[in-house]
Amino acid sequence: VSLLAVGNCSVSLWCSPLPLAGQKRQPSPGPHRGAHLGRRFFQNTVLDPYLWQRKIFVCNTFNVLLPKPKKKAKLTVVEVEPTDGKYLAFLKPDKPEWYIETYIGIGKSIGSFSKSEKETLKKEAVAMGCRPLFQAWNNPRDRWELKRNVIDMVLFQDGAMATLGIDLQAAMSEVKRVLKPNGRVFFAVNEEDTKALGGQFDMGLQDSVADRLGFELVAANRGDCGLVAGYMRIKQKDQSNVKTANPLRKLPRAY
């Protein structure tokens, strides 16, 4: 595979990714960044140029949106309706300033996973140094086996929201219940996912499933690879002290 063949997504592996509007966190500079990304991409993957395009885009987008917890903090991540964990590594910071201690995969398909499918997810989690756990969620009326406000980050990869379909609202309700007040819901969605979610990214996902349940879109980035990536959070009760210099905070948009 030609290295140039995978560099035609909106953010190239071989160029410093552009920060999202208003974001202060900058990607790690220097020549070692390419090698670092390379290691993350080769992890349990096949050399598929289209997969590389999507992963490059998601990695560089998530990289400027990661939280800044206290040093050596140990975070917990839930992935909703996981398949292969291909974006899990991109929730890990470049430098070991904090860690993901536990990965929890929850979804309708978990119960029907083959041994090899579950092993794939386990490998992705173990490669990050975190403990993998799984929960089958067959009834949307059931609550996840998690306490309230204990999760730091949630991940939806492309295809997850579309797979959930009419159960997306129930899943997002559970996300809101288990997410910490300052937690982040990361997503990389395709066209079918966007239809399931409702709303438009350039309109801040107004009247979407997420909006109606009390989430707000903080940042979104549209790639040439058919994906929109970014994160949401639970709407802040007191908006009086929220700075609006960042247009993405006032009106989140995909660009």
Side-chain angles (χ1 to χ4, degrees):
V1 177
S2 169
L3 296 180
L4 295 177
V6 300
N8 60 353
C9 195
S10 62
V11 182
S12 171
L13 171 64
W14 316 116
C15 301
S16 296
L18 298 174
L20 299 183
Q23 295 293 332
K24 295 181 179 179
R25 185 179 188 274
Q26 297 292 332
S28 301
H32 301 294
R33 178 168 171 77
H36 176 71
L37 291 180
R39 288 195 297 272
R40 291 161 80 179
F41 286 130
F42 278 118
Q43 180 177 299
N44 304 325
T45 63
V46 179
L47 282 177
D48 174 357
Y50 298 103
L51 177 62
W52 268 66
Q53 287 179 11
R54 295 191 295 272
K55 295 184 75 173
I56 290 167
F57 167 71
V58 173
C59 178
N60 283 310
T61 300
F62 283 5
N63 187 64
V64 297
L65 297 176
L66 290 178
K68 290 185 176 180
K70 295 179 180 179
K71 288 188 176 181
K72 297 184 179 180
K74 297 178 180 180
L75 277 59
T76 300
V77 172
V78 163
E79 183 171 11
V80 183
E81 208 60 43
T83 53
D84 53 12
K86 60 177 176 283
Y87 302 142
L88 178 58
F90 307 151
L91 296 180
K92 182 180 179 181
D94 289 342
K95 297 179 181 179
E97 297 175 349
W98 49 271
Y99 307 89
I100 296 178
E101 182 179 43
T102 306
Y103 164 80
I104 306 172
I106 300 177
K108 299 189 297 182
S109 59
I110 293 289
S112 60
F113 267 11
S114 66
K115 184 177 180 180
S116 62
E117 287 174 322
K118 190 169 287 189
E119 282 300 316
T120 297
L121 283 172
K122 284 184 178 179
K123 286 180 181 179
E124 292 288 343
V126 171
M128 291 179 60
C130 58
R131 179 180 55 148
L133 299 172
F134 301 97
Q135 289 185 27
W137 185 56
N138 299 317
N139 189 339
R141 297 187 182 90
D142 292 342
R143 283 193 168 185
W144 297 346
E145 296 175 9
L146 294 170
K147 294 181 180 180
R148 185 182 298 273
N149 305 137
V150 295
I151 301 301
D152 299 282
M153 294 186 285
V154 173
L155 173 63
F156 286 89
Q157 75 168 53
D158 48 304
M161 292 185 180
T163 299
L164 285 165
I166 60 174
D167 294 333
L168 176 59
Q169 180 169 331
M172 292 296 293
S173 293
E174 280 300 281
V175 168
K176 185 178 180 181
R177 183 181 68 83
V178 303
L179 192 68
K180 292 180 179 179
N182 61 342
R184 302 188 178 193
V185 181
F186 285 89
F187 59 83
V189 296
N190 56 30
E191 185 176 352
E192 293 301 314
D193 296 318
T194 304
K195 290 179 180 177
L197 187 59
Q200 299 295 323
F201 281 99
D202 56 0
M203 295 298 292
L205 289 180
Q206 295 176 12
D207 298 322
S208 67
V209 172
D211 180 46
R212 293 193 297 270
L213 287 172
F215 290 91
E216 61 181 353
L217 180 63
V218 180
N221 190 13
R222 189 183 301 279
D224 297 332
C225 47
L227 297 180
V228 176
Y231 83 92
M232 297 178 278
R233 68 182 178 189
I234 298 172
K235 291 179 181 178
Q236 307 298 302
K237 292 182 179 180
D238 182 8
Q239 295 287 349
S240 60
N241 295 322
V242 176
K243 297 180 180 179
T244 57
N246 177 1
L248 286 174
R249 291 187 182 276
K250 189 173 183 181
L251 180 62
R253 59 184 178 181
Y255 63 98

